[in-house]
Amino acid sequence: TSSNGLMNFPIGGLAAAALGAAVLIPSGARRNAVTVQCAMLVLTAALFCANSFTYVYEEIVNPLTAPATRVKDGAFAGLLTEVDRAAFIAAAGAALDRAGERPKTIVVIGRFPGIYLLTDMAPMTVWTWYVSRLYASHADALNSLIEAFYRVPAHRPDVVAVVTDPWTHPPSPWALDLLAGYAVTSEVSIGRWSLTVHEACHGQAC
């Protein structure tokens, strides 16, 4: 992940460039001035390093200090992560297993493309990666593209998984239109994450 520390771009990159320039000491500089300059450089670098460990980008709870455990099964087996996140991964995988007892297709609505790794169901989507910056700058064009894709009956998945977290935006119009033909069959909510599994109604009233 990224942070607002020394390696973050552009904030950290700019700071690193400024620190690099500050290393240049004018010829003939007084010893006291050089000592003060070096002390400020060391202090600034220490503050940046400390900031890197105290704030992790888009994490409400610092994963470096929060209680952690390893994921036991599945694609993320062995991953060391927060206790709540590990519990959510396990519960989400179990919910998707129940929905995917026979070969099916799936689309994930939300910010976590890694959900596709929790199931053997085949993705039925324009893309599996959540490209937030691309989507933000081309929302109308992408909405039209996705809406046209799911307008084709053969492209409508058997399962729709809706994933949310504190940064998730409300569903797009194409997602609401797609969900109209599905019924909720399973829900998981642990910590800051939730998963709702919708399955196709197959001619029945939803």
Side-chain angles (χ1 to χ4, degrees):
T1 184
S2 59
S3 73
N4 283 348
L6 197 60
M7 302 307 294
N8 192 29
F9 180 85
I11 299 172
L14 178 60
L19 288 175
V23 173
L24 302 177
I25 300 174
S27 59
R30 292 184 178 182
R31 182 183 182 89
N32 290 343
V34 173
T35 301
V36 171
Q37 184 173 344
C38 291
M40 289 299 296
L41 286 173
V42 172
L43 176 60
T44 303
L47 290 174
F48 269 107
C49 290
N51 183 61
S52 297
F53 284 97
T54 55
Y55 173 80
V56 179
Y57 183 70
E58 284 198 357
E59 294 288 354
I60 297 176
V61 177
N62 189 340
L64 299 176
T65 58
T69 186
R70 293 193 183 276
V71 178
K72 296 179 180 179
D73 305 303
F76 298 105
L79 176 69
L80 184 66
T81 185
E82 294 175 51
V83 174
D84 282 353
R85 195 190 302 262
F88 174 76
I89 291 173
L96 293 172
D97 284 343
R98 290 193 294 272
E101 291 177 352
R102 60 183 184 277
K104 291 183 178 182
T105 55
I106 184 175
V107 62
V108 176
I109 297 175
R111 299 186 337 113
F112 299 120
I115 294 294
Y116 286 108
L117 298 177
L118 299 179
T119 176
D120 292 330
M121 290 184 279
M124 179 60 72
T125 179
V126 178
W127 55 66
T128 57
W129 187 252
Y130 179 80
V131 193
S132 58
R133 289 176 176 79
L134 175 64
Y135 192 87
S137 57
H138 302 282
D140 292 338
L142 293 179
N143 276 330
S144 298
L145 172 65
I146 299 172
E147 184 179 357
F149 178 82
Y150 287 117
R151 200 179 295 129
V152 178
H155 291 167
R156 298 184 74 85
D158 299 300
V159 175
V160 178
V162 180
V163 189
T164 60
D165 77 334
W167 296 275
T168 300
H169 296 289
S172 301
W174 67 264
L176 295 175
D177 180 66
L178 181 64
L179 288 170
Y182 295 77
V184 175
T185 58
S186 183
E187 293 182 274
V188 173
S189 182
I190 298 176
R192 303 183 298 280
W193 310 276
S194 65
L195 170 75
T196 306
V197 178
H198 305 248
E199 296 191 57
C201 298
H202 298 298
Q204 303 175 2
C206 291

